[in-house]
Amino acid sequence: MVKFSIYLTNYRSKKEKVVNLIGTYECKADAKGRLMLPVAFKKQLSSILQEGFVLKRSVFQPCLELYPMEEWNLLMQKMNKLNRFKKKNNDFIRRFTAGVKVVEIDTTGRLLIPKDLVSFAGITKELVLSSAVNIIEIWDKTQYEKAIDDAAVDFADLAEEVMGFDDEADGIS
């Protein structure tokens, strides 16, 4: 993921804002699927709140991903380069964008999660919002705790495999 973040940072024009989110917060959803965005995230996103967001299903986990519009547009620029005359590319684009919704934070700081996405993520009342570099993952609290517990067993091996490269000049120590 670090290489992707570096790519995004280098790819941006001077006027584009770099989004590197920090934090994991618990919150509650109301009966209509609205949640109050934690104050810490609102502060981190304050310069781009008015631009809107894209909410989508995660590819690998039973959670949702909230993309600031600028981050979504960068991702779509990459997707737009795929050759649409290859069936697998079309299939990927269709599945990747299934259920995608444009959402906004209202004047009181609430975000409405559409019912189909609430259902996909198994969201009940208790939620966890977790930063994932340039996006926010939205989890049902029980699902999040299970995913963290499941990943804890092999996290050291995963960290070594993903971040432990020796031959790269931009390695992290």
Side-chain angles (χ1 to χ4, degrees):
M1 196 70 174
V2 170
K3 287 185 180 183
F4 184 65
S5 295
I6 291 168
Y7 170 77
L8 285 178
T9 301
N10 293 336
Y11 186 75
R12 296 171 193 278
S13 69
K14 298 260 188 255
K15 64 182 180 178
E16 292 177 292
K17 300 153 200 82
V18 176
V19 177
N20 289 310
L21 300 164
I22 299 170
T24 300
Y25 305 93
E26 292 184 14
C27 60
K28 295 182 188 315
D30 67 15
K32 294 181 180 179
R34 293 177 299 200
L35 65 93
M36 185 68 70
L37 195 66
V39 172
F41 278 149
K42 281 197 320 195
K43 284 181 181 177
Q44 292 175 60
L45 295 167
S46 63
S47 65
I48 58 173
L49 273 177
Q50 71 286 352
E51 295 171 19
F53 297 86
V54 171
L55 189 60
K56 70 172 287 302
R57 302 170 183 177
S58 174
V59 173
F60 299 108
Q61 298 289 339
C63 71
L64 305 175
E65 297 171 339
L66 183 67
Y67 286 78
M69 190 58 74
E70 191 170 289
E71 297 295 329
W72 179 256
N73 289 337
L74 287 171
L75 183 58
M76 289 300 99
Q77 286 176 6
K78 288 180 73 175
M79 298 271 282
N80 199 34
K81 292 178 182 174
L82 294 174
N83 182 345
R84 309 267 344 255
F85 286 95
K86 291 186 177 180
K87 183 182 181 315
K88 69 178 180 179
N89 291 352
N90 273 330
D91 292 347
F92 172 76
I93 291 167
R94 185 177 311 106
R95 302 250 344 248
F96 185 82
T97 58
V100 168
K101 304 281 192 295
V102 174
V103 295
E104 295 182 2
I105 308 299
D106 70 15
T107 55
T108 61
R110 293 179 305 182
L111 169 74
L112 174 64
I113 303 173
K115 291 193 184 310
D116 63 321
L117 295 178
V118 166
S119 178
F120 169 82
I123 291 174
T124 57
K125 188 173 182 140
E126 303 288 325
L127 303 175
V128 173
L129 275 62
S130 180
S131 61
V133 185
N134 57 348
I135 65 171
I136 297 171
E137 293 181 338
I138 302 173
W139 290 81
D140 176 76
K141 184 178 178 185
T142 304
Q143 293 279 0
Y144 178 78
E145 290 172 354
K146 182 180 181 322
I148 293 298
D149 289 347
D150 290 349
V153 175
D154 60 354
F155 183 67
D157 292 337
L158 179 62
E160 182 178 10
E161 184 178 331
V162 172
M163 300 299 290
F165 35 85
D166 293 328
D167 57 347
E168 300 278 335
D170 61 349
I172 296 175
S173 57

